Amino acid sequence: MSQAVATQNSAASLTGLLVPLADRTLLLPNVAVAELIPYRAPQVSEGTPDWFLGQIAWRDLRLPLLSFEAASGGQVKVASGARVAVINALGGRPKVKFIALLVQGIPRSLKVGNDLAAADVDLAPLELGAARVGEDVVRIPDLVGLEQLLADAGLI
């Protein structure tokens, strides 16, 4: 019986991360984030889009570092508390296992249940939806779309 209760509880909720950006907060599934690392200046290349910040080293890999804000129509901002979220790639490309996302601070864990209220707000490019968490509006990013943006620009 306890197994049935555990299965019912896990189907009704999952653990999410509230990821602070410069101009919004993203809601990601906990399993989407492989690691949070300190911000380090990326290796920059000429002639790349403004949302592509360059390449960073992580665990013997070179990862593309992106600004979600700039990719969805905003501005790049690197604040003093900036960090990098290493995101598990979801696009099914055999050579792309991770991408890096500039974040502004430390993500907070949040249990997300069926009662998560949708927010009726305008969505920016690369946002799949929005929800209300307390008084705040959080955005649900299109991580596959973000990866596709990299592919379309020839960066992965």
Side-chain angles (χ1 to χ4, degrees):
M1 177 153 169
S2 62
Q3 188 176 22
V5 171
T7 303
Q8 185 179 23
N9 284 342
S10 37
S13 70
L14 62 91
T15 303
L17 287 176
L18 295 174
V19 180
L21 301 182
D23 62 355
R24 69 195 91 184
T25 299
L26 300 180
L27 176 60
L28 298 174
N30 189 44
V31 297
V33 179
E35 190 172 339
L36 184 69
I37 60 175
Y39 174 78
R40 54 189 86 148
Q43 180 182 358
V44 182
S45 301
E46 292 294 319
T48 58
D50 61 348
W51 48 263
F52 178 69
L53 305 177
Q55 299 276 337
I56 62 165
W58 177 72
R59 294 188 182 183
D60 297 328
L61 297 171
R62 307 283 308 155
L63 304 181
L65 177 62
L66 303 125
S67 164
F68 186 86
E69 298 96 318
S72 60
Q75 299 294 317
V76 175
K77 181 177 181 184
V78 180
S80 62
R83 299 209 176 4
V84 173
V86 177
I87 307 292
N88 292 306
L90 303 172
R93 291 171 179 83
K95 294 185 180 186
V96 181
K97 301 294 184 199
F98 306 97
I99 60 174
L101 195 63
L102 177 66
V103 301
Q104 305 296 326
I106 299 174
R108 289 185 304 124
S109 181
L110 172 75
K111 284 288 185 193
V112 178
N114 294 347
D115 58 345
L116 187 64
D120 187 22
V121 296
D122 291 335
L123 298 177
L126 297 170
E127 292 178 349
L128 296 174
R132 292 211 176 273
V133 175
E135 297 296 315
D136 298 324
V137 173
V138 297
R139 309 301 177 126
I140 299 162
D142 181 357
L143 297 178
V144 174
L146 196 61
E147 189 178 331
Q148 186 62 49
L149 193 65
L150 281 165
D152 291 347
L155 297 167
I156 56 173

